[in-house]
Amino acid sequence: MSLRDIARSLRPGNDQQLATDLSTQRRQGHHRSVGKAAAEGQAWEDRDRKLDRLGDRQTDWDD
């Protein structure tokens, strides 16, 4: 929550509208991060499968 949002919450007014606006901002931020996380996960999976195909995986299962 930014300083402007805090100041807005202290002003008399429509609290329901403020809550709706803050909720919308929070949801939008979450949805933006979901795509990034999915892309990073897919990139990791692609690298992992490539290592399997190339035989470059460095594992020591004897430990």
Side-chain angles (χ1 to χ4, degrees):
M1 191 184 306
S2 69
L3 188 57
R4 183 177 62 185
D5 292 333
I6 293 171
R8 182 177 167 197
S9 69
L10 296 176
R11 245 184 358 202
N14 187 348
D15 291 337
Q16 182 60 39
Q17 183 61 40
L18 174 63
T20 302
D21 291 347
L22 293 176
S23 178
T24 301
Q25 289 173 0
R26 194 174 23 228
R27 273 196 314 272
Q28 287 172 343
H30 174 72
H31 288 299
R32 281 192 297 264
S33 66
V34 168
K36 181 180 177 184
E40 289 173 354
Q42 186 62 49
W44 182 90
E45 183 68 28
D46 292 343
R47 282 191 307 274
D48 190 53
R49 288 178 187 213
K50 182 179 177 183
L51 286 174
D52 281 344
R53 282 193 309 272
L54 295 176
D56 287 343
R57 184 169 302 279
Q58 307 250 341
T59 56
D60 187 9
W61 300 106
D62 297 330
D63 286 341

